[in-house]
Structure formats: structure tokens, C-alpha cells
């Protein structure tokens, strides 16, 4: 009898399978990405999503409290004895009519999924709780990642929760201070190399191979299993109704890949009757997905993409010495590791990709700050992208949209303060300097 749960290479010419007790960061046969697969017919899955609502009554059990593990029947790759939790996934889906007005949607149609409410302040915790559960299952002792910041913060937090050693690689100078402070505070061995995220990614793969470390980048298919739950919580926040659109920033494309898998599986299991459309938003300064999908028309067809097109694109990036650059450092990535899986998700969800400028990102960020709970720059790309798609008429004013706000406002305070200090920004809110004198203070306050 075949395995209930296994890993499978996504390359249809290979299709090699591996047990969930193994850890690979690429297919050992062909080097492609791996998926976590389940034999759903032989696993126990609730027959409606609302069934998961009963877990709220037993939330004194840490696994039922976790916004990831209370959906554990939908990511059943390990047993409770290996599941690690630090209380991730206590997120808020906020209906925000002011943001709706800003993007040109009707009231009641725009919802913000605040992933900044996670323990380390970003959505990454959804993935790490799953990856570290797998790491515990395989007995890993030392893990490593490359990071633009939030991955390192989350890895450091989970590694110390598991008593595991961890090394994080970050590109020098391109990390927001809030994120760096977390990695240091949580005790990660932090290696800054001269280079950007893509350089770090290459190096970390080498050291993981050489030293046998457990890799926790989103190449790790178990991480993506945890990130599926962001979609479950959006459905839950909408009373188990499927929105018309999900909008998410795209960096390494782990989230978008996980979201496509989540909806594909839910549909397959009969737990939803339709799949929402997906909009992935790049920054103009790191727009590989946009170029390949929208400009070059690259598609996931018959279980594959045209690898030659991708190689040629990366070849040009190498030749020109291209370096991605955006204020949204969390998505400053030009060689997204999950490209193929993301293109698959775009096929599943009839998706679109857009690019937005740094100017549009920081304005959108200020709007989320003023009318919502705030977010970091990369997260606001989703709002800027929604605004663009509304202007184009691709998304209708009356369509229901959930934007994923991937990271907390305090991750990158410098961008926020710089924005408000600058005169002439649409939403800037500059502090007023006044002498230490009551009359002058009152005069200023009265305007
Ligand atoms: C990691 C990250 C992203 C990018 O997500 P991918 O899954 O790599 O596309 C976006 N926003 C924030 C805040 C992040 O930390
Ligand atoms: Zn393979």
C-alpha cells in the first residue's frame, strides 16, 4: 500500500517520491522542488470547514490555540508529538472601508489579513511552525536560512523554542532594523555577507549541503504547508465564504505557491465550491515574476513551465549584473525560488501579476497606517496592487477582496519615519517643533 503522506518532485519527467521522514531541499534525482502530498481518501478530513470552529472551545490545548495547527487535518504530515507551536496564527481579518475607498472599492468589500500579529511579527511563523515540526520529526539539530529579515526573525524564534542551533544569512545593509534586532535578540548566529538575498540563498544551500544542516527557506515544502492556513483563516474570517480575490506581495513566492495549493486541495476535498482569483504583486525594482508572467506570457501548462525561457531571463540578469532594489526589502528578490510553484498557483487561481512603484507602496503603507493597524512596506504592495487592478477594472468595485498584510508596522520604522518627515507626501504627518512654552504650544495645537 502506498504512503498516506509523502514528498513528490514537481517535475513531471521525474516525479520521484520520498518519505516525509526524509529532509531534502531539492529533489535528489533532478534538483527540482518538492511538494508534500497526501492520500486524502485514506486520511480523516472533516466534511465542512465550519467543523474547525469547534476548536475555539478547546483552545487551552496549545495546538487548538495555534492558528496553524487547529487546521492540522489539512496538513497532516506529522503527529502531535512533533508539532511545535509558539502561538502563531492569532491574526485578524479586518474589514476596512477607508482602505476600500482609497483603492476605489465599495464599502464592505476590502479585508486586510494582518499577519503582523504573529509572534515574530510576520506571516513567516505560519511556515516555520510547520518546518520546525518537520525538523523535530527528522531529528535536526542545527538549521539555517537566507533571509531578507523576517525569515531570520522567525527561524531564530522557533529554533530557540525547539532548543535547536540556528544560523541565519543576511545580505549586508539590506535588512530592516526591526528584523535584525529580532535575530540577534533571539540568539541566532547571524552571518552578514557582502551581497543580496540571492547571494545569501546560494551560500546557504551550499552550507546546508556541506554541513548537513536543516534548511528552512521556503524551498522547504513543509513550510508551505503551514502557510496554507493563512487562506483557511481568511475563509474563516469571512464566515467560510470564498472571496473573489486574494492579493499578496510576491518575493520568493512561497506564499502565493502555498495559497494555490490550499485552494486546490480544498476544492478537491469538496470543502469549497469555487477557487478565488489570485493577484501577486511585485515591486517594480524586483519584478521577475511580472516580467515572465505578464510580459513574456510564461505559463504553467501540462504540469510544467518553459525552463529555457527562465534560464534565458536569469542569464540576462547575470550578464547585466542586475541587482533588485526596492524600499520593500522583504520582496527584494530577483530569482524567486518558488517560481514554478507560483506559476502553478496562478494557473489554479486564474491569477494576475502586477508591479507597483516604491512611491505607490509607501503611500499605500501610510493609508494602512492611518486607517488600519499598520504594516511594513512589502505588505503594502498588496494595497498598491489592488488599487492598480481597480483602476484597470480587472478587479470590480463590488468584488470581495482579501489583501494579505504580511508583516508588522514596527519591522521597518525608518521607512515610516522618513515618509512622514518628508513634506509633500500625500499622507505625511510631520512632527511640529515648538519651543518649550505653553502659549506657543497652545497656538500650534489650535492650528
Ligand atoms: C517574506 C515576505 C514576503 C515575501 O513572501 P514570499 O512568500 O517570499 O513571496 C512579503 N512580505 C513580507 C513582510 C515578508 O516577510
Ligand atoms: Zn525530481
Amino acid at each position: 500500500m502506498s504512503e498516506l503522506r509523502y514528498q513528490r518532485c514537481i517535475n513531471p519527467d521525474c516525479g520521484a517520491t520520498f518519505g516525509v521522514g526524509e529532509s531534502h531541499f531539492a529533489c535528489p534525482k533532478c534538483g527540482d522542488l518538492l511538494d508534500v502530498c497526501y492520500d486524502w481518501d485514506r486520511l480523516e478530513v472533516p466534511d465542512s470547514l465550519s467543523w474547525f470552529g469547534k476548536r475555539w472551545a478547546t483552545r487551552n490545548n496549545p495546538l487548538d490555540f495555534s492558528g496553524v495547527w487547529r487546521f492540522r487535518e489539512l496538513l497532516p504530515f506529522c503527529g502531535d508529538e512533533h508539532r511545535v507551536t509558539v502561538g502563531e496564527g492569532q491574526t485578524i481579518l479586518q474589514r476596512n472601508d477607508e482602505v476600500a475607498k482609497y483603492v476605489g472599492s465599495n464599502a464592505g468589500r476590502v479585508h486586510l489579513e494582518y499577519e503582523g500579529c504573529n509572534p515574530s511579527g510576520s506571516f513567516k511563523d505560519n511556515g516555520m511552525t510547520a518546518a520546525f515540526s518537520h525538523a523535530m520529526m527528522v531529528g535536526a539539530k542545527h538549521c539555517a536560512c537566507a533571509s531578507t529579515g523576517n525569515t531570520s526573525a522567525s527561524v531564530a524564534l522557533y529554533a530557540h523554542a525547539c532548543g535547536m542551533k540556528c544560523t541565519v544569512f543576511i545580505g549586508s545593509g539590506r535588512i530592516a532594523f526591526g528584523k535584525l534586532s529580532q535575530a540577534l535578540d533571539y540568539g541566532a548566529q547571524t552571518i552578514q555577507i557582502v551581497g543580496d538575498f540571492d547571494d545569501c540563498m546560494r551560500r546557504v544551500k551550499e552550507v546546508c549541503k556541506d554541513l548537513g544542516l536543516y534548511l528552512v527557506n521556503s524551498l522547504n515544502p513543509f513550510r508551505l504547508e503551514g502557510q496554507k492556513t493563512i487562506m483557511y483563516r481568511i475563509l474563516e474570517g469571512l464566515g467560510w465564504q470564498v472571496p473573489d480575490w486574494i492579493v499578496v506581495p510576491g518575493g520568493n513566492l512561497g506564499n502565493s505557491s502555498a495559497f494555490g495549493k490550499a485552494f486546490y486541495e480544498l476544492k478537491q476535498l469538496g470543502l469549497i465550491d469555487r477557487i478565488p482569483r489570485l493577484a501577486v504583486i511585485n515591486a517594480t525594482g524586483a519584478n521577475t515574476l511580472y516580467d515572465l508572467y505578464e510580459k513574456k506570457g510564461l505559463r504553467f501548462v501540462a504540469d510544467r513551465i518553459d525552463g529555457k525561457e527562465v534560464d534565458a531571463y536569469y542569464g540576462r540578469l547575470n550578464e547585466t549584473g542586475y541587482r533588485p532594489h526596492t524600499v520593500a526589502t522583504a520582496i527584494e528578490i530577483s530569482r524567486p525560488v518558488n517560481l514554478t510553484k507560483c506559476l502553478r498557483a496562478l494557473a489554479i487561481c486564474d491569477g494576475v501579476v502586477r508591479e507597483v512603484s516604491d512611491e505607490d507602496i509607501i503611500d499605500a503603507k501610510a493609508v494602512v497606517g492611518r486607517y488600519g493597524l499598520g504594516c511594513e512596506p512589502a505588505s503594502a504592495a498588496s494595497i498598491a496592487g489592488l488599487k492598480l487592478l481597480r483602476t484597470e477594472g480587472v478587479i470590480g468595485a463590488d468584488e470581495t477582496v482579501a489583501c494579505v498584510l504580511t508583516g508588522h508596522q514596527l519591522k521597518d520604522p525608518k521607512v515610516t519615519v522618513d515618509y512622514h518627515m518628508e513634506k509633500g507626501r500625500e499622507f505625511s504627518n510631520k512632527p511640529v517643533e515648538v519651543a518649550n512654552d505653553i502659549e506657543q504650544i497652545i497656538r500650534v495645537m489650535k492650528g
Side-chain angles (χ1 to χ4, degrees):
M1 200 151 55
S2 66
E3 302 265 0
L4 281 176
R5 42 185 79 83
Y6 52 96
Q7 304 182 69
R8 185 176 61 206
C9 174
I10 67 166
N11 173 0
D13 297 328
C14 171
T17 61
F18 309 93
V20 288
E22 298 180 40
S23 77
H24 306 290
F25 50 84
C27 173
K29 298 222 166 93
C30 76
D32 216 328
L33 296 166
L34 298 173
D35 265 330
V36 181
C37 302
Y38 308 99
D39 184 351
W40 294 113
D41 292 339
R42 289 160 56 218
L43 285 160
E44 254 178 70
V45 181
D47 56 14
S48 79
L49 282 173
S50 59
W51 180 90
F52 290 102
K54 78 185 173 81
R55 292 257 157 88
W56 289 96
T58 50
R59 59 210 311 266
N60 58 328
N61 171 354
L63 292 178
D64 289 351
F65 179 76
S66 164
V68 172
W69 296 116
R70 61 195 169 81
F71 297 103
R72 54 194 175 270
E73 285 77 6
L74 299 174
L75 50 151
F77 63 82
C78 67
D80 282 359
E81 70 278 16
H82 293 123
R83 290 187 173 123
V84 178
T85 178
V86 299
E88 57 288 322
Q90 308 306 312
T91 57
I92 294 166
L93 183 73
Q94 181 200 38
R95 167 181 160 172
N96 194 316
D97 288 355
E98 294 293 340
V99 172
K101 198 186 293 171
Y102 175 70
V103 300
S105 285
N106 293 342
R109 295 307 185 204
V110 174
H111 301 263
L112 308 180
E113 171 70 6
Y114 284 100
E115 288 296 321
C117 302
N118 274 291
S120 82
S122 85
F123 80 83
K124 297 294 195 301
D125 295 349
N126 294 282
M128 289 315 162
T129 190
F132 276 85
S133 297
H134 182 254
M136 293 303 272
M137 185 172 148
V138 301
K141 298 279 180 282
H142 187 166
C143 61
C145 70
S147 178
T148 63
N150 281 330
T151 298
S152 60
S154 184
V155 164
L157 179 59
Y158 279 87
H160 101 188
C162 297
M164 212 177 280
K165 204 174 162 206
C166 87
T167 306
V168 306
F169 285 73
I170 52 188
S172 56
R174 295 304 298 164
I175 183 170
F177 244 53
K179 305 176 188 184
L180 179 59
S181 71
Q182 288 179 289
L184 300 177
D185 215 26
Y186 297 141
Q189 180 182 44
T190 304
I191 297 189
Q192 282 196 288
I193 65 173
V194 182
D196 63 11
F197 175 84
D198 298 312
D199 299 313
C200 291
M201 194 67 236
R202 265 195 297 274
R203 292 300 177 205
V204 80
K205 281 200 231 172
E206 287 167 15
V207 297
C208 283
K209 203 170 201 163
D210 286 356
L211 304 177
L213 308 190
Y214 188 87
L215 181 73
V216 275
N217 277 102
S218 55
L219 283 170
N220 181 318
F222 295 93
R223 235 187 83 177
L224 301 194
E225 289 304 289
Q227 288 169 218
K228 295 191 301 191
T229 65
I230 301 169
M231 295 300 102
Y232 308 155
R233 295 197 301 273
I234 287 179
L235 296 177
E236 181 180 46
L238 295 172
W240 306 111
Q241 298 299 304
V242 179
D244 296 308
W245 287 89
I246 301 290
V247 187
V248 65
N252 240 340
L253 307 177
N255 257 346
S256 44
S257 300
F259 299 172
K261 187 173 191 278
F263 288 119
Y264 180 82
E265 290 173 345
L266 291 180
K267 183 84 190 337
Q268 197 185 12
L269 289 166
L271 294 171
I272 53 172
D273 53 14
R274 68 188 176 92
I275 289 176
R277 295 189 68 188
L278 177 67
V280 183
I281 313 301
N282 273 167
T284 309
N287 61 355
T288 297
L289 181 68
Y290 175 74
D291 272 352
L292 289 172
Y293 188 76
E294 297 289 348
K295 292 241 182 91
K296 306 218 177 296
L298 183 67
R299 290 292 183 277
F300 186 84
V301 191
D303 291 335
R304 70 185 77 228
I305 63 170
D306 181 355
K308 283 205 272 318
E309 180 92 69
V310 179
D311 291 344
Y313 187 86
Y314 290 161
R316 279 193 297 279
L317 295 189
N318 288 339
E319 272 165 33
T320 57
Y322 176 83
R323 292 282 169 189
H325 193 85
T326 167
V327 67
T329 49
I331 53 174
E332 193 183 67
I333 294 171
S334 63
R335 290 168 181 78
V337 298
N338 288 298
L339 179 65
T340 311
K341 285 185 177 177
C342 174
L343 290 163
R344 179 176 66 182
L346 289 163
I348 291 167
C349 302
D350 186 16
V352 300
V353 181
R354 289 295 181 271
E355 58 171 359
V356 291
S357 69
D358 281 6
E359 297 297 305
D360 291 345
I361 288 173
I362 54 178
D363 278 340
K365 186 183 113 43
V367 169
V368 175
R370 183 164 299 185
Y371 301 117
L373 307 182
C375 64
E376 67 168 278
S379 313
S382 61
I383 305 301
L386 169 57
K387 189 165 191 280
L388 175 62
L389 289 162
R390 277 291 307 118
T391 308
E392 294 174 354
V394 173
I395 297 183
D398 217 33
E399 289 192 283
T400 304
V401 184
C403 293
V404 183
L405 296 183
T406 45
H408 198 281
Q409 183 188 35
L410 297 177
K411 289 283 191 174
D412 195 347
K414 182 171 187 315
V415 169
T416 307
V417 174
D418 286 351
Y419 180 92
H420 289 296
M421 287 298 191
E422 207 173 311
K423 265 216 195 96
R425 293 282 186 191
E426 195 175 347
F427 302 97
S428 63
N429 180 26
K430 204 170 175 334
V432 189
E433 276 184 52
V434 192
N436 185 12
D437 173 273
I438 192 66
E439 273 166 29
Q440 289 193 45
I441 292 171
I442 288 174
R443 200 176 314 133
V444 165
M445 289 176 70
K446 283 184 167 169

